[in-house]
């Protein structure tokens, strides 16, 4: 449990900004990422001021806050209720709520988020950008034609017209840029916008951002069987030197390969508006040790975390499907928490996860693909005239916990894994 009262007593200046507040919490409670995120959201959206203005938090107030957090941020009451109580205790406000469930008839005022960067109108220089006019009358930056600087500010206005979109590959291969500040009002950053900006370490995103990448066309397959290295380079921040990034809580979409090969990225929190981790989104992120997944996540697509540096992961109960090779090559992954609600695990989903010694397969799982937990290698013969061949074997150390009568038990027994009764 986060002791917020002690935090505020020891660090009274941490409430000066969202960034400083979250930084103090993360330093003190690195394993409480979900709670830290919710407490930060409440601080940012104004709920803390509502709590502070009351001497007693009654049932109607409590349920209205639950509803607000559920409707605006997709946070289920199980987690939001606990965070409301933490804030109330820290502020010395008594809680007299009888229910942890939101009441649907309760309404609330729209929330105005405090921008993390300058929200003023920033006029760009026409000689630096090529643009096109969208149907809405706003502008899309299609190409940056200025000179690279270590720090650049992407404006929200050009020639008196608002800029709302940073287009595909607009800043691709601008290798001299180290820091980017994207102004409020921009809602979309398209595929490959910063691909190959190999010196880019810091990105400040606007709170107005909704789309990070392009939504695939209906005719496009969900994923291909190409390896990540064979596919086109179209991730928004693919191949950059980003170490950390704050995604705005209003973000609702991540495009495929958004952070592919960001080899310096160590941690990231995904907002609850994200419903799906797309294809190859974090593949090749070798330094990525931890990630906080959204509470409402529905699926993890192919290659999503392949060859990432993850050490542990907690996949939320809302996730129904883990696609093929989603965690393939995560050699440091030693702890995977799967929950009831998961129904499908795709081919080679956890292949070459050499550090994995135990896993529990929920009763809800009804489909498990081929070679899910296999360990593969490559044998090179002494005679170099031959190309060699691949080797494949079952993980000898893996123990699968499962339930009587479940598909997990059938799978583990058929594949010859060690079995443990998950009910004991």
């Amino acid at each position: 449990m986060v002791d917020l009262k002690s935090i505020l007593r020891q660090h009274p200046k941490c409430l000066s900004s969202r960034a400083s507040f979250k930084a103090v919490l993360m330093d003190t409670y690195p394993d409480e990422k979900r709670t830290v995120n919710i407490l930060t959201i409440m601080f940012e959206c104004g709920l803390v001021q509502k709590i502070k203005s009351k001497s007693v938090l009654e049932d109607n107030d409590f349920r209205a806050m639950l509803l607000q957090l559920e409707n605006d941020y997709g946070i289920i009451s199980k987690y939001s209720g606990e965070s409301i109580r933490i804030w109330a205790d820290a502020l010395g406000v008594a809680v007299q709520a009888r229910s942890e469930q939101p009441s649907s008839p309760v309404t609330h005022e729209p929330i105005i988020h405090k921008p993390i960067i300058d929200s003023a109108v920033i006029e760009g220089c026409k000689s630096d950008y090529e643009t096109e006019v969208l149907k809405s009358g706003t502008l899309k930056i299609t190409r940056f034609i200025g000179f690279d600087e270590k720090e650049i500010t992407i404006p929200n206005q050009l020639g008196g017209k608002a800029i709302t979109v940073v287009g595909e590959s607009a800043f691709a291969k601008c290798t001299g840029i180290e820091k980017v500040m994207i102004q409020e009002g921009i809602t979309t950053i398209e595929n490959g916008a910063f691909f190959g900006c190999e010196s880019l370490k810091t990105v400040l995103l606007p709170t107005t951002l909704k789309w990070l990448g392009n939504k695939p066309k209906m005719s496009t397959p969900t994923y291909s069987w190409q390896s990540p290295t064979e596919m086109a380079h179209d991730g928004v921040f693919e191949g950059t030197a980003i170490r950390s990034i704050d995604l705005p809580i209003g973000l609702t979409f991540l495009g495929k390969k958004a952070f592919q090969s960001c080899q310096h990225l160590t941690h990231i929190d995904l907002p609850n508006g994200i419903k799906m981790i797309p294809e190859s989104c974090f593949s090749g992120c070798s330094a990525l040790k931890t990630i906080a997944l959204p509470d409402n996540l529905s699926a993890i697509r192919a290659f999503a975390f392949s060859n990432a540096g993850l050490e542990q992961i907690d996949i939320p109960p809302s996730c129904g499907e883990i696609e093929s090779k989603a965690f393939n090559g995560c050699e440091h992954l030693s702890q995977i928490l799967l929950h009831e609600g998961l129904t499908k695990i795709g081919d080679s989903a956890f292949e070459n996860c050499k550090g994995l010694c135990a896993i529990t397969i929920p009763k809800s799982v009804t489909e498990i693909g081929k070679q899910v937990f296999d360990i593969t290698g490559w044998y090179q013969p002494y005679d170099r005239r031959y190309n060699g061949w691949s080797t494949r074997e079952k993980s000898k150390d893996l123990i699968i916990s499962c339930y009587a009568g479940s598909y997990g038990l059938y799978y583990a027994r058929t594949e010859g894994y060690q079995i443990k009764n998950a009910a004991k």
Side-chain angles (χ1 to χ4, degrees), residues 118-146:
D118 190 357
S119 60
V121 173
I122 304 297
E123 181 73 24
C125 178
K126 289 185 177 182
S127 62
D128 286 340
Y129 303 97
E130 291 180 356
T131 62
E132 70 174 64
V133 181
L134 303 174
K135 291 181 180 180
S136 62
T138 61
L139 297 179
K140 174 201 286 191
I141 294 175
T142 57
R143 188 182 175 199
F144 176 65
I145 54 176

Side-chain angles (χ1 to χ4, degrees), residues 259-275:
F259 295 95
Q260 179 173 290
S261 299
C262 290
Q263 298 180 4
H264 300 281
L265 184 65
T266 59
H267 173 79
I268 193 167
D269 293 344
L270 300 183
N272 282 324
I274 302 296
K275 300 296 191 297

Side-chain angles (χ1 to χ4, degrees), residues 150-384:
K150 286 188 176 182
E151 295 188 10
I152 66 169
T153 297
I154 297 180
N156 50 19
Q157 186 169 294
L158 196 62
K161 289 188 176 181
I163 298 172
T164 56
V165 179
V166 178
E168 291 190 33
S169 305
F171 292 84
K173 296 298 183 88
C174 290
T175 56
I177 298 175
E178 297 181 4
K179 181 178 181 179
V180 171
M181 294 169 285
I182 304 174
Q183 291 302 304
E184 294 293 320
I186 292 176
T187 61
T188 303
I189 302 175
E190 294 186 339
N191 287 347
F194 298 95
F195 163 71
C197 294
E198 57 188 32
S199 300
L200 182 58
K201 299 177 182 178
T202 304
V203 178
L204 297 180
L205 299 173
T207 61
T208 51
L209 188 67
K210 301 295 183 184
W211 292 70
L212 196 59
N214 300 54
K215 188 173 183 179
K217 298 178 181 179
M218 295 299 292
S219 59
T220 303
T222 303
Y223 62 87
S224 70
W225 281 100
Q226 293 176 297
S227 70
T229 55
E230 295 173 324
M231 292 185 273
H233 299 296
D234 55 7
V236 174
F237 295 112
E238 183 179 352
T240 63
I242 292 174
R243 297 180 181 276
S244 63
I245 188 169
D246 283 336
L247 299 180
I249 54 181
L251 188 69
T252 59
F253 180 83
L254 277 179
K256 66 178 183 178
K257 295 181 280 185
F259 295 95
Q260 179 173 290
S261 299
C262 290
Q263 298 180 4
H264 300 281
L265 184 65
T266 59
H267 173 79
I268 193 167
D269 293 344
L270 300 183
N272 282 324
I274 302 296
K275 300 296 191 297
M276 179 263 296
I277 310 296
E279 174 186 0
S280 303
C281 189
F282 298 99
S283 65
C285 292
S286 54
L288 183 64
K289 294 184 177 181
T290 58
I291 185 170
L293 297 179
D295 293 330
N296 295 324
L297 185 68
S298 62
I300 299 175
R301 299 301 187 201
F303 297 106
F305 295 98
S306 63
N307 299 305
L310 291 171
E311 296 178 350
Q312 59 181 8
I313 192 153
D314 185 351
I315 299 174
S318 57
C319 184
E321 181 177 5
I322 301 172
E323 286 190 354
S324 302
K325 295 185 179 289
F327 294 91
N328 174 53
C330 293
E331 297 186 353
H332 303 289
L333 189 58
S334 60
Q335 183 178 5
I336 303 169
L337 296 179
L338 306 178
H339 298 276
E340 294 298 331
L342 181 67
T343 60
K344 179 181 178 180
I345 302 175
D347 295 342
S348 303
F350 299 103
E351 186 177 21
N352 284 330
C353 291
K354 298 177 181 179
L356 186 63
C357 295
I359 191 170
T360 299
I361 298 180
K363 290 182 286 186
S364 57
V365 172
T366 57
E367 183 178 348
I368 302 177
K370 300 176 182 178
Q371 298 142 10
V372 171
F373 302 105
D374 281 11
I375 304 298
T376 60
W378 184 257
Y379 176 72
Q380 178 68 47
Y382 177 75
D383 191 337
R384 295 185 181 275

Side-chain angles (χ1 to χ4, degrees), residues 109-123:
E109 296 179 358
I111 295 175
I112 299 176
H113 301 295
K114 182 180 179 181
I116 59 173
I117 55 179
D118 190 357
S119 60
V121 173
I122 304 297
E123 181 73 24

